[in-house]
Amino acid sequence: MLITSLDNDRVKGYIKLKDRKYRKKTNTFIVEGRHLVLEAYKAGKIIELILEKDEVLPLDLPIVYVTNEIINKISEMENPSTVMALCKMDEKEEIIGDKILMLDGIQDPGNLGTIIRSSLAFNVDTIVLSPECVDLYNPKVIRSTQGMIFGINIVRCELESVIKNLKQQEIPVYGTNVEYGEDITILKEKDKTKYGLVMGNEGQGVRKEILDMCDKYLFIDMNDKVESLNVAVATSILLYELNK
């Protein structure tokens, strides 16, 4: 199938997926670039390939060929890829495992994408997004994950209920606090085998009511000239140390 018109209903649907409400309504999203498409394919998330005419990608999937003009309209990138895919969302509801990362109001797509990559690298079982977090299927989030979004369990729900459940399972919950915290590098081995770690919003940090529910505070020992770290960097360091 080759589509050449921007007025085609299928194309209009692809373009609408730039909007979060439409993504949520249809439970679909677009991935761009050969690497992301292949990762989505391995995860079984692709509904159909969207290829610029004459492009070749030998996957056993329905293919829609489009013109370069249409590719440019669908794409969110400055230099669009000739390989895209329409994918189905897979927002899970079950929290699995005993290494849980909870994100309280993360707003920057790049930060969330980086955190997802680090979580997979350092063996987090489930990432919990608070309702206030940026959309998981924001195109910038997806690109920042480099396909790792398809490799880890991610749920969206209220953090208070998650923390209560973790406590019932006797899983310690850690927040971050320099003044009252414990240096992450001296945390005991037994305290790393299972945990819930809460990281907060870029500007406001973790909400007080959530911090008050934590069992212990952690901090990263660093040069006094540096007041704070980017939340994605800080999360990556903490997860690395917890994975030792």
Side-chain angles (χ1 to χ4, degrees), residues 136-172:
L136 177 61
Y137 295 101
N138 179 299
K140 291 181 181 177
V141 172
I142 295 169
R143 289 199 299 273
S144 295
T145 70
Q146 287 295 301
M148 300 304 99
I149 189 174
F150 302 114
I152 190 167
N153 189 55
I154 304 174
V155 303
R156 183 182 292 268
C157 60
E158 296 289 350
L159 301 189
E160 289 89 342
S161 62
V162 177
I163 292 174
K164 287 177 183 176
N165 287 334
L166 292 178
K167 286 177 176 289
Q168 288 174 359
Q169 299 174 58
E170 298 185 344
I171 295 177

Side-chain angles (χ1 to χ4, degrees), residues 3-214:
I3 300 176
T4 59
S5 173
L6 289 170
D7 291 326
N8 179 278
D9 287 340
R10 203 185 205 107
V11 171
K12 288 179 179 178
Y14 295 153
I15 295 170
K16 284 181 182 178
L17 289 172
K18 292 180 180 182
D19 182 77
R20 177 178 184 172
K21 289 181 180 178
Y22 193 74
R23 291 195 295 269
K24 188 172 182 179
K25 178 182 177 181
T26 60
N27 285 314
T28 59
F29 63 104
I30 297 285
V31 297
E32 302 184 48
R34 190 174 294 263
H35 174 71
L36 281 174
V37 168
L38 290 174
E39 291 297 323
Y41 176 70
K42 287 189 285 186
K45 303 304 180 190
I46 295 180
I47 298 170
E48 59 192 22
L49 290 175
I50 306 165
L51 304 180
E52 187 174 332
K53 62 178 183 177
D54 301 325
E55 179 62 76
V56 176
L57 189 61
L59 300 178
D60 184 20
L61 291 166
I63 300 176
V64 178
Y65 292 99
V66 297
T67 64
N68 179 260
E69 181 185 22
I70 291 173
I71 285 284
N72 287 327
K73 283 291 185 180
I74 298 171
S75 178
E76 292 267 10
M77 300 170 65
E78 188 173 329
N79 297 303
S81 171
T82 57
V83 176
M84 301 179 178
L86 177 68
C87 298
K88 57 187 175 184
M89 288 185 181
D90 187 23
E91 292 204 14
K92 303 177 181 69
E93 297 181 358
E94 184 181 2
I95 295 173
I96 59 174
D98 49 21
K99 294 184 177 181
I100 313 299
L101 175 64
M102 292 168 278
L103 302 179
D104 188 21
I106 297 294
Q107 293 298 300
D108 183 85
N111 282 340
L112 179 55
T114 299
I115 289 169
I116 290 171
R117 290 175 70 185
S118 294
S119 296
L120 191 58
F122 301 125
N123 299 306
V124 167
D125 296 310
T126 296
I127 299 173
V128 182
L129 309 178
S130 74
E132 300 78 20
C133 281
V134 63
D135 178 23
L136 177 61
Y137 295 101
N138 179 299
K140 291 181 181 177
V141 172
I142 295 169
R143 289 199 299 273
S144 295
T145 70
Q146 287 295 301
M148 300 304 99
I149 189 174
F150 302 114
I152 190 167
N153 189 55
I154 304 174
V155 303
R156 183 182 292 268
C157 60
E158 296 289 350
L159 301 189
E160 289 89 342
S161 62
V162 177
I163 292 174
K164 287 177 183 176
N165 287 334
L166 292 178
K167 286 177 176 289
Q168 288 174 359
Q169 299 174 58
E170 298 185 344
I171 295 177
V173 177
Y174 304 137
T176 53
N177 189 311
V178 174
E179 188 173 353
Y180 302 106
E182 178 178 323
D183 184 346
I184 181 65
T185 62
I186 63 172
L187 193 66
K188 294 178 181 177
E189 196 68 33
K190 66 180 181 65
D191 295 325
K192 299 180 182 181
T193 56
K194 54 184 180 179
Y195 62 81
L197 174 65
V198 188
M199 300 300 293
N201 172 273
E202 290 86 349
Q204 305 300 318
V206 178
R207 286 171 290 156
K208 183 180 184 302
E209 56 266 34
I210 298 296
L211 273 179
D212 288 344
M213 297 179 73
C214 294

